[in-house]
Amino acid sequence: MAGFPEIQRRTSVGVMVGNVQVGGGAPVVVQSMTNTDTADIDATVRQVADLHMAGSELVRITVDRKEAAAAVAPIRDKLAAMGLDVPLVGDFHYIGHTLLRDYPECAEALAKYRINPGNVGFKNKRDRNYSMMIEKAVEFGKAVRIGVNWGSLDQELLTANMDANAASDAPRDVREVMHETMVQSGLMSAARAEELGLGRDRIIISAKVSEVQDLIACYRLIGARSDYALHLGLTEAGMGSKGIVASTAGLAVLLQQGIGDTIRISLTPEPGGDRTKEVQVGQEIVQALGLRSFMPEVIACPGCGRTTSTVFQELAQDVQTFLQDQRQVWREKYDGFEELQVAVMGCIVNGPGESKHADVGISLPGTGEVPAAPVFIDGKKVKTLRGEDITDQFKTIVEEYVENRWGSS
């Protein structure tokens, strides 16, 4: 993204998940997961479509029983009939090996399998069940995410590491042993998948925990020890601002250090809330770091005693809504419009300066100032708006700027 110093990203092996590349130098991929009953085909299709239209490049669905497995291919087909080529990821736990064996149409329809090595069985059954899932991925040419989770960690491996640590002359902190076990579980499972014929270009690893510092520690370890593509996410992040802040705090540190190829923001939605919120947050984190541009950005001041009028707040909101509404239309017409920056400022203190730094900016009059609003384009003042329809005038200016700058594309 223009204007940002380049983040040196960790070198990872590229993995094709359907039509989307993860890792291998590709842009960070934002994904999400449905919370519908997968067996409810129509509801799941609607939510997958909503998430994809919001910007989710991969969508994960739960495949937990035979009815869900039987629904996967019809879901894929209905999405295709809508013109949506959405790579679907199957989330398997406990009986994934039997579902992939008994429903080959499900195994074929999915672009990736998500396997948690901690809950595919115990002792000899664990390796057998895990092997069956990997062999299906090899058979159908699918990618696999080996998803190690803090809450379902391989207890046998954890116990062995804890015992070894207790017997050590210099025992480490228990949390460090947990981190090490998370990393070992992921890497050992990946190595076993390779032994079974799954290429490194089909493997993605995640090590998801629910505390920010644990997340950073685990991914730093796994990133330093391997070149597998990595999926980032703070599991069970929580609701509302708590979940957003915690996810941002953890993922921003890792992404800034070049660690991570795809992300998911695991927000608990409000009752009846919009599931696409997690997609929006994921995109905003990646865009704020300058790694990708997903939509035009509105720069607006917070307001103070100089901006007692609500005019600039209303204009900022109107412009934000306008840009969101136009995004789908502009996506079909203009290549690169996502990098647009629009400033809506509330008074003369920082207004003209911030407006000059944006592509298009407006500085509204504050308390006691002359009722006029200068407009800046590419750093130069081009006109001054007055009257009751400033909002419509400014939106027209923005639309003309986009057409003039990106219309040729």
Side-chain angles (χ1 to χ4, degrees):
M1 182 189 291
F4 286 87
E6 184 177 354
I7 293 175
Q8 296 300 312
R9 294 180 60 197
R10 164 184 169 272
T11 301
S12 62
V13 176
V15 179
M16 290 305 300
V17 182
N19 59 358
V20 175
Q21 180 173 326
V22 176
V28 175
V29 171
V30 176
Q31 59 178 282
S32 58
M33 183 176 182
T34 60
N35 61 357
T36 57
D37 178 359
T38 305
D40 186 339
I41 294 173
D42 290 339
T44 302
V45 167
R46 284 194 299 271
Q47 192 170 78
V48 171
D50 288 345
L51 290 166
H52 185 62
M53 295 299 288
S56 182
E57 293 157 291
L58 308 175
V59 179
R60 183 156 46 113
I61 60 177
T62 297
V63 188
D64 57 345
R65 63 195 197 281
K66 61 183 182 180
E67 292 83 2
V72 171
I75 290 169
R76 187 270 316 269
D77 294 342
K78 286 201 169 195
L79 289 166
M82 297 166 64
L84 300 178
D85 185 9
V86 189
L88 297 176
V89 180
D91 194 69
F92 293 101
H93 296 276
Y94 308 114
I95 60 169
H97 57 294
T98 61
L99 294 176
L100 288 171
R101 179 196 65 198
D102 295 344
Y103 293 88
E105 66 279 9
C106 167
E108 187 277 328
L110 294 168
K112 183 174 74 171
Y113 310 156
R114 190 275 194 180
I115 304 173
N116 185 337
N119 60 24
V120 295
F122 299 96
K123 298 188 181 296
N124 294 336
K125 284 186 178 180
R126 177 188 296 116
D127 186 63
R128 183 170 68 249
N129 296 346
Y130 179 75
S131 297
M132 287 173 62
M133 299 181 77
I134 296 299
E135 286 163 0
K136 286 298 177 184
V138 173
E139 177 183 348
F140 289 99
K142 304 300 181 179
V144 169
R145 170 157 76 92
I146 297 169
V148 184
N149 267 52
W150 190 261
S152 52
L153 190 55
D154 181 338
Q155 292 303 301
E156 195 173 351
L157 177 62
L158 178 60
T159 299
N161 284 345
M162 287 292 188
D163 289 346
N165 185 62
S168 171
D169 293 335
R172 293 181 292 174
D173 180 83
V174 170
R175 294 191 84 84
E176 290 183 49
V177 179
M178 292 282 285
H179 299 159
E180 177 63 26
T181 305
M182 292 279 291
V183 173
Q184 285 183 14
S185 178
L187 294 180
M188 290 166 60
S189 298
R192 177 59 179 150
E194 288 196 63
E195 290 175 3
L196 293 166
L198 191 67
R200 297 175 77 81
D201 61 347
R202 294 286 182 184
I203 298 173
I204 299 171
I205 296 181
S206 67
K208 298 177 77 172
V209 295
S210 55
E211 297 292 338
V212 171
Q213 294 297 342
D214 293 322
L215 181 84
I216 294 170
C218 286
Y219 276 99
R220 280 177 172 168
L221 287 173
I222 207 165
R225 296 187 196 176
S226 78
D227 62 357
Y228 292 111
L230 298 181
H231 169 94
L232 302 187
L234 189 72
T235 191
E236 298 117 16
M239 299 181 73
S241 60
K242 183 267 181 188
I244 293 172
V245 170
S247 294
T248 304
L251 269 61
V253 170
L254 292 167
L255 290 170
Q256 180 67 26
Q257 294 175 358
I259 300 171
D261 302 292
T262 178
I263 68 170
R264 185 213 168 185
I265 309 303
S266 300
L267 297 180
T268 304
E270 303 289 342
D274 188 353
R275 189 68 168 180
T276 63
K277 181 69 174 179
E278 66 176 47
V279 181
Q280 177 189 345
V281 173
Q283 290 182 328
E284 289 178 355
I285 292 172
V286 174
Q287 183 158 330
L289 290 168
L291 292 168
R292 289 183 71 178
S293 294
F294 292 97
M295 70 169 293
E297 182 179 4
V298 175
I299 301 164
C301 68
C304 66
R306 295 181 60 88
T307 57
T308 52
S309 168
T310 61
V311 174
F312 92 92
Q313 298 169 334
E314 293 165 356
L315 177 57
Q317 184 177 52
D318 286 346
V319 171
Q320 181 74 59
T321 301
F322 169 71
L323 294 176
Q324 290 173 342
D325 291 344
Q326 290 296 106
R327 180 166 64 161
Q328 204 58 38
V329 176
W330 288 349
R331 185 176 290 152
E332 303 297 325
K333 299 168 63 177
Y334 309 124
D335 183 23
F337 79 92
E338 297 91 348
E339 296 185 3
L340 173 69
Q341 286 192 331
V342 179
V344 179
M345 305 302 292
C347 77
I348 200 171
V349 174
N350 290 319
E354 291 286 357
S355 296
K356 288 177 182 177
H357 288 301
D359 297 312
V360 184
I362 185 170
S363 180
L364 295 172
T367 305
E369 294 175 11
V370 176
V375 174
F376 300 82
I377 294 179
D378 292 331
K380 297 179 181 179
K381 180 179 174 181
V382 295
K383 62 176 63 178
T384 299
L385 303 183
R386 295 180 174 85
E388 299 296 322
D389 62 340
I390 283 180
T391 298
D392 290 337
Q393 292 181 61
F394 186 63
K395 287 193 288 188
T396 298
I397 291 170
V398 172
E399 183 113 44
E400 290 174 349
Y401 180 88
V402 172
E403 167 64 31
N404 292 335
R405 180 170 173 181
W406 290 289
S408 59
S409 64

